[in-house]
Amino acid sequence: MKKFLKIFGITVLSIFILLLILPFVFKGTIKKMVNEEINNSVNAKVEYSGLSLSLIRNFPDIHFHLDGLTLSGKDKFEGDTLLAFDRFAVVVDVSSLFSDVVQVNDILIDHPTVNARVLADSTANWDIMKETGEEEPLKEESSSDMKVRINSFRIVNGDISYNDLTSDMVAGIKGLDVSMTGDLSEKTTELELVSSIKDLSVGMEGTKYMNKVKVGLNAKVKAETDKMLFTFLDNEMTLNGLALGIDGSVQMKDDAIGTDLRISAKRSDLKTLLALVPKEFMMDFEDVHTEGDFHFVTTVKGDYIDSDHLPAFNVDLNVNNGRVKYPDLPESIDNINVRCVVDNPGGSPDHTVTDIETFHFELAGNPFDAGMKITTPVSNLTFSGNAVGTIDLGSLEKAIPLDSFEIRGVITSDIVVEGDYEMIDKEQYEKIKSNGTATMKGFFYSDKDLSLGIHIDDAVMTFSPRYMELKTFKSRIGKSDFSMKGRIENYLAYVMKDDVLKGNLSHYSKFINANELMAMSSGEEVSADTTVSTLVEIPKNLDFVLTSKVDKILYDKLVITNTKGKITIRDGKVVLDGLYMALLDGSMKLTGTYSTADLKRPYMDFDIKANNISINKAANSFSVVDSLLPFARNAKGRVSAGFKYFSRLNSAGDPVLATLNGGGNLKSDGIEVSGTKVQNMLSSMLKNPRYKQLVAKDLNVDFTLDRGGLVIKPFKTKIYGKELKIQGHQGLDKTMDYRVDMPVSRKDLAAVAGILGGVIPTNGDDVPIGILVKGTFDNPKIDLDLTAAKKILGDELSKEADKAIDNLVKDKNVQKQLKDMKKKLGNIFK
């Protein structure tokens, strides 16, 4: 018995060790097979962090998992991630591998991320499967063919995004969980499906149709796998709190999806419909009291082939005698009646008819009615509608708790519109019916993104088929005020077909605080010392001419007054046409273009004419001036300049100095510069403190910009009454290479006499020297070119020596001594 147990134990241990090491033995082979299969199947870059096969983990089942997979695109989608997941795992009953039905006990996809994109040319990033040549005809399934039975399929915490540029549609799913159980190996089986989405958002053409909606589905589905027919049995779908029942079936055909579905609300109380409203707009929803009936039914029947061949569908929504009342608030929304039908008999989407027959409610005793009918939306969008009534937004706050935002004001409208797009396109405005008036008084809105709030004190707009006339518009944002009047044209085409909105407006502001506005748009605070920059995108479907006048603008510490000129917004560009402004103790005139027509290559192209401005204030107000002329921060004086420049912009809207090109001219009667490192070094070298403070007179400087580098053409100026010649250039890396030719007194030059090789007489005319300034702004290097000085001083010293000898020879005492010496020498050599 002991021998048997020993043999049995050794056998079990051997089998366990074999099961443990076999996956490692075959891991390389399996990985090679997976890599070859992936590369042969898809035209994409596929990477994964790990691959494992285990016979122990789910013994006696086989456990296989693939970890950290990412699938990214090529060509047009280079670098884009189409698919990624943390883990893909499969558990298979090992004994079923030797039978006709392979038993898959579990399939798990953990945290998958899908980013689906369609470009404007209809190229889709999921079209990555490689062509395999001619497809062989499918063989009819025989009774001996292997079958696969899947008992459980799960997706955990999935995220899916969809961006379609062809239809300007954006959709997103966050927190997708799916659990499906059932036997898919049988021709007919029942599947149990439990699914939930934490956050579903759908938008098209800038409009959000669903915003952060919670979705749930709990369904039993009859699956006839041989026909690919799926019939809904007992089920419930929830959208936030709206419970829907689904009846009917969906069939996957070779070239279409067959549908026969009816989706309807399971409950008829109005509170069910209000559950669709996001929670941030419906506080304390559980306490709200509602009255009235709610009816919602959608039917879909027929084949969906593509977006041009649709099944018949109908949407029917009704609210009768509705009322919404919060118990702690004084007002209620009463007499709510809505009747909306969307119908298409099938085929073309152009057959769709959308009819909002009734839209009525009463708030604080003020009735409001609206309606709209749209037909032939593809071939020739035809519309008729109206909006009549008064909405007191202040009463809305008394009827519904609005913790996430604040709103008030009174809106009154009496508008009727009727026509079609063909009339608009052909400018047959006499056939279009569009008239009425809309007014707004005492309007205010604020939320976390608009902390300053928007005030519209008074606005009056009248409508005609050709244009909307803005008769009055007075608004405030923080400390800034805006008044406008004028016409807005082509608004019907803009609304119906996203055409270009045109306008001609006059604008006036007493004061604009740019610091406040930029801080609000960026979501950050702007201090007195900093200004938050951001690239502002100009919409391409705007064509506005704005005649503007602003009395005062505050930008960082810069105060700008008396701004006036014409601004044109067109094709994604802002064009300034001679915009005049008083600033920096002088004035400036701007002409040029700011363009975001190509968001990848935004730019500015400006012609600036400055007159008598403070150079110090300019350096402390504009980063471009400070970068190009760093000495200006230590300068005093006024300059006039003409300056043309072009520059690309970065994502913050700031100039990319490497692309800065242009040039101009700068003039000044006098500029005083003091305290720069170059001056301090020169003063120390020449041992004269007056070089720490220099005043340049009669400046007339021509300069050019080349890829951000500044080139100063040779110019002359006067310092301490002496004429200097200056030229040179500086780079983006703050390197300098300047030469200054200037006369220096002999007394100053005596300090560097050692360089000249002797003592310099302090009397006489100034001596020319060259000052070479190199290095960087922060670490300058100074050298002296004394070639000219050495020549002049050398010639002078030579002449002085010859003169001294001549004088010595002519001296009578010297001559007498020479005669005496001659006699003595003669007596010696006799």
Side-chain angles (χ1 to χ4, degrees):
M1 185 65 178
K2 290 182 179 180
K3 184 176 182 181
F4 170 76
L5 292 174
K6 184 177 181 180
I7 294 172
F8 178 76
I10 292 174
T11 303
V12 171
L13 181 60
S14 300
I15 293 173
F16 178 79
I17 294 173
L18 185 63
L19 293 175
L20 189 65
I21 65 172
L22 274 177
F24 293 97
V25 173
F26 292 103
K27 183 175 181 179
T29 303
I30 295 171
K31 188 172 183 179
K32 182 179 178 182
M33 290 173 60
V34 171
N35 289 339
E36 287 179 354
E37 185 62 30
I38 290 174
N39 290 326
N40 291 335
S41 302
V42 298
N43 182 31
K45 182 180 179 181
V46 181
E47 297 176 311
Y48 54 90
S49 60
L51 180 151
S52 177
L53 179 68
S54 173
L55 300 175
I56 300 297
R57 184 167 182 170
N58 292 90
F59 184 81
D61 296 339
I62 299 174
H63 177 94
F64 168 82
H65 67 256
L66 189 65
D67 292 336
L69 181 136
T70 60
L71 190 153
S72 54
K74 295 182 178 180
D75 302 327
K76 294 181 181 181
F77 300 100
E78 184 74 32
D80 284 358
T81 299
L82 168 61
L83 171 66
F85 55 70
D86 289 351
R87 170 165 290 194
F88 171 77
V90 180
V91 178
V92 181
D93 185 340
V94 66
S95 63
S96 69
L97 296 176
F98 306 100
S99 65
D100 293 338
V101 179
V102 175
Q103 179 81 23
V104 179
N105 289 331
D106 189 30
I107 296 176
L108 168 67
I109 304 177
D110 186 21
H111 195 196
T113 301
V114 180
N115 296 306
R117 294 179 57 206
V118 181
L119 301 181
D121 62 2
S122 298
T123 305
N125 67 340
W126 61 81
D127 187 13
I128 60 173
M129 301 306 296
K130 290 184 177 179
E131 295 184 5
T132 57
E134 282 189 30
E135 295 185 6
E136 295 182 5
L138 295 173
K139 296 179 181 179
E140 291 188 7
E141 184 181 295
S142 65
S143 59
S144 62
D145 288 339
M146 180 178 291
K147 298 179 182 179
V148 178
R149 175 183 295 137
I150 301 175
N151 285 343
S152 174
F153 174 82
R154 293 178 294 147
I155 296 175
V156 177
N157 194 23
D159 293 334
I160 301 172
S161 66
Y162 177 76
N163 189 350
D164 188 343
L165 296 182
T166 62
S167 60
D168 195 12
M169 178 179 177
V170 178
I173 292 175
K174 292 183 178 180
L176 171 66
D177 290 323
V178 177
S179 176
M180 185 181 72
T181 58
D183 186 355
L184 290 176
S185 67
E186 300 295 332
K187 290 185 177 180
T188 301
T189 187
E190 280 193 11
L191 305 176
E192 290 194 9
L193 179 63
V194 178
S195 178
S196 64
I197 297 173
K198 292 181 181 178
D199 185 336
L200 170 64
S201 298
V202 179
M204 184 175 290
E205 298 181 350
T207 301
K208 284 191 175 182
Y209 293 97
M210 302 184 80
N211 185 25
K212 297 182 179 180
V213 175
K214 290 186 176 181
V215 181
L217 176 63
N218 197 329
K220 288 185 178 180
V221 179
K222 178 183 177 182
E224 299 177 59
T225 56
D226 56 337
K227 301 176 183 178
M228 291 300 289
L229 176 63
F230 302 91
T231 303
F232 288 89
L233 303 175
D234 184 23
N235 61 84
E236 181 176 280
M237 175 187 288
T238 58
L239 302 175
N240 283 350
L242 174 61
L244 302 172
I246 306 175
D247 297 311
S249 63
V250 176
Q251 185 174 20
M252 309 303 294
K253 301 180 180 180
D254 292 338
D255 56 355
I257 301 175
T259 63
D260 186 1
L261 294 172
R262 185 179 187 274
I263 304 172
S264 60
K266 287 194 168 186
R267 291 180 290 276
S268 62
D269 57 291
L270 182 58
K271 195 170 184 178
T272 301
L273 178 61
L274 295 180
L276 285 176
V277 180
K279 285 187 176 180
E280 56 265 34
F281 298 109
M282 287 291 290
M283 305 299 295
D284 303 322
F285 176 74
E286 297 300 326
D287 298 329
V288 69
H289 171 72
T290 63
E291 297 176 8
D293 298 328
F294 161 63
H295 168 81
F296 174 78
V297 175
T298 295
T299 59
V300 183
K301 190 168 185 176
D303 288 346
Y304 173 85
I305 299 174
D306 53 39
S307 58
D308 293 324
H309 300 84
L310 305 177
F313 61 89
N314 178 274
V315 179
D316 192 350
L317 170 66
N318 284 286
V319 177
N320 296 313
N321 301 318
R323 183 172 185 263
V324 177
K325 177 72 171 68
Y326 278 83
D328 298 330
L329 296 177
E331 297 286 354
S332 60
I333 304 175
D334 301 308
N335 202 16
I336 303 170
N337 287 278
V338 179
R339 167 70 173 164
C340 177
V341 176
V342 181
D343 187 73
N344 186 312
S348 171
D350 199 39
H351 299 157
T352 304
V353 176
T354 302
D355 190 3
I356 304 175
E357 297 178 11
T358 305
F359 184 84
H360 175 89
F361 66 88
E362 295 173 10
L363 177 61
N366 295 313
F368 184 85
D369 289 275
M372 176 65 72
K373 184 175 183 178
I374 297 175
T375 60
T376 57
V378 178
S379 61
N380 181 27
L381 190 145
T382 303
F383 54 87
S384 63
N386 68 288
V388 180
T390 299
I391 302 177
D392 184 351
L393 298 173
S395 297
L396 184 65
E397 190 175 17
K398 298 177 182 178
I400 299 176
L402 304 175
D403 289 354
S404 61
F405 64 94
E406 183 180 354
I407 191 169
R408 59 178 178 267
V410 177
I411 300 173
T412 303
S413 68
D414 187 356
I415 302 169
V416 177
V417 61
E418 186 175 336
D420 62 47
Y421 183 74
E422 188 174 298
M423 297 175 189
I424 299 170
D425 193 42
K426 294 181 179 180
E427 298 185 356
Q428 297 172 337
Y429 294 107
E430 68 281 358
K431 296 182 179 181
I432 302 173
K433 182 179 181 181
S434 177
N435 54 67
T437 303
T439 65
M440 182 181 292
K441 292 185 181 296
F443 177 85
F444 174 76
Y445 177 86
S446 70
D447 59 25
K448 62 180 181 181
D449 297 322
L450 292 170
S451 55
L452 295 176
I454 298 176
H455 295 263
I456 301 177
D457 300 320
D458 189 15
V460 178
M461 182 174 288
T462 60
F463 294 80
S464 71
R466 288 181 178 271
Y467 58 83
M468 297 185 296
E469 184 169 1
L470 189 61
K471 290 183 174 295
T472 303
F473 183 84
K474 296 179 180 179
S475 67
R476 293 173 288 124
I477 302 176
K479 297 177 182 177
S480 305
D481 64 274
F482 304 89
S483 296
M484 285 189 289
K485 61 173 61 176
R487 290 184 175 182
I488 299 173
E489 302 175 351
N490 206 43
Y491 71 96
L492 289 173
Y494 174 78
V495 173
M496 300 298 175
K497 288 287 188 178
D498 196 25
D499 208 343
V500 177
L501 184 65
K502 301 178 181 180
N504 197 319
L505 301 171
S506 62
H507 155 248
Y508 170 71
S509 292
K510 289 182 180 180
F511 177 61
I512 294 178
N513 189 325
N515 295 339
E516 281 188 339
L517 299 179
M518 295 178 73
M520 185 175 68
S521 65
S522 65
E524 300 179 27
E525 292 188 4
V526 172
S527 67
D529 299 319
T530 59
T531 300
V532 178
S533 298
T534 182
L535 183 69
V536 179
E537 181 181 357
I538 308 302
K540 294 181 181 179
N541 59 350
L542 293 183
D543 186 349
F544 274 69
V545 177
L546 190 67
T547 303
S548 183
K549 185 179 187 306
V550 184
D551 290 344
K552 183 179 177 180
I553 300 173
L554 178 63
Y555 177 83
D556 196 6
K557 296 178 181 179
L558 181 63
V559 177
I560 305 170
T561 60
N562 196 24
T563 301
K564 55 187 175 182
K566 187 170 77 171
I567 303 171
T568 302
I569 303 171
R570 183 177 294 144
D571 300 327
K573 301 176 184 177
V574 175
V575 180
L576 306 181
D577 186 4
L579 189 67
Y580 171 88
M581 60 188 69
L583 75 168
L584 305 172
D585 300 333
S587 64
M588 184 179 292
K589 189 175 182 180
L590 295 178
T591 301
T593 301
Y594 168 89
S595 174
T596 60
D598 182 355
L599 273 177
K600 294 181 180 179
R601 297 173 65 82
Y603 70 85
M604 60 170 56
D605 188 357
F606 281 92
D607 184 352
I608 302 174
K609 289 181 173 60
N611 182 44
N612 204 31
I613 66 172
S614 166
I615 188 170
N616 180 269
K617 288 185 177 181
N620 284 277
S621 301
F622 296 110
S623 60
V624 172
V625 175
D626 187 36
S627 298
L628 297 177
L629 302 173
F631 74 87
R633 281 184 173 266
N634 301 80
K636 296 178 182 179
R638 295 175 178 275
V639 298
S640 296
F643 181 26
K644 292 183 178 181
Y645 78 94
F646 171 91
S647 176
R648 298 287 179 192
L649 302 174
N650 60 22
S651 59
D654 296 324
V656 179
L657 293 180
T659 66
L660 193 58
N661 289 281
N665 172 269
L666 182 146
K667 294 181 180 180
S668 177
D669 293 336
I671 293 178
E672 179 183 322
V673 183
S674 61
T676 66
K677 289 187 177 181
V678 172
Q679 288 176 274
N680 292 335
M681 292 177 69
L682 184 61
S683 176
S684 176
M685 180 179 288
L686 298 178
K687 294 183 170 34
N688 191 332
R690 74 173 184 169
Y691 288 104
K692 292 183 178 181
Q693 186 172 4
L694 301 176
V695 179
K697 297 288 188 180
D698 302 325
L699 282 173
N700 189 351
V701 184
D702 292 323
F703 60 90
T704 59
L705 296 170
D706 182 14
R707 290 173 292 182
L710 177 65
V711 179
I712 303 293
K713 297 180 180 180
F715 71 95
K716 294 180 179 180
T717 185
K718 288 183 179 180
I719 295 179
Y720 298 128
K722 301 176 182 181
E723 188 174 81
L724 283 71
K725 182 180 178 183
I726 303 173
Q727 60 186 309
H729 68 269
Q730 62 192 51
L732 280 175
D733 54 359
K734 296 186 177 182
T735 56
M736 300 181 293
D737 189 357
Y738 282 99
R739 180 184 177 90
V740 181
D741 291 302
M742 64 180 289
V744 177
S745 70
R746 295 169 183 255
K747 183 180 179 181
D748 290 342
L749 201 58
V752 290
I755 301 175
L756 295 169
V759 178
I760 299 172
T762 58
N763 296 324
D765 295 334
D766 291 345
V767 179
I769 66 170
I771 301 174
L772 307 178
V773 182
K774 297 189 177 183
T776 67
F777 302 148
D778 299 325
N779 186 24
K781 308 291 184 184
I782 292 183
D783 198 3
L784 298 180
D785 182 356
L786 301 173
T787 304
K790 285 181 178 181
K791 186 176 184 305
I792 292 172
L793 292 173
D795 291 344
E796 288 184 1
L797 290 172
S798 178
K799 290 177 181 178
E800 288 294 327
D802 291 342
K803 184 178 178 181
I805 293 171
D806 289 342
N807 291 334
L808 189 63
V809 172
K810 292 178 183 178
D811 189 285
K812 291 182 179 181
N813 291 328
V814 173
Q815 290 178 357
K816 185 177 182 299
Q817 291 177 4
L818 287 172
K819 287 180 180 179
D820 291 342
M821 187 177 293
K822 185 178 179 181
K823 288 179 180 180
K824 291 178 181 180
L825 289 172
N827 292 330
I828 294 173
F829 290 104
K830 278 184 176 180

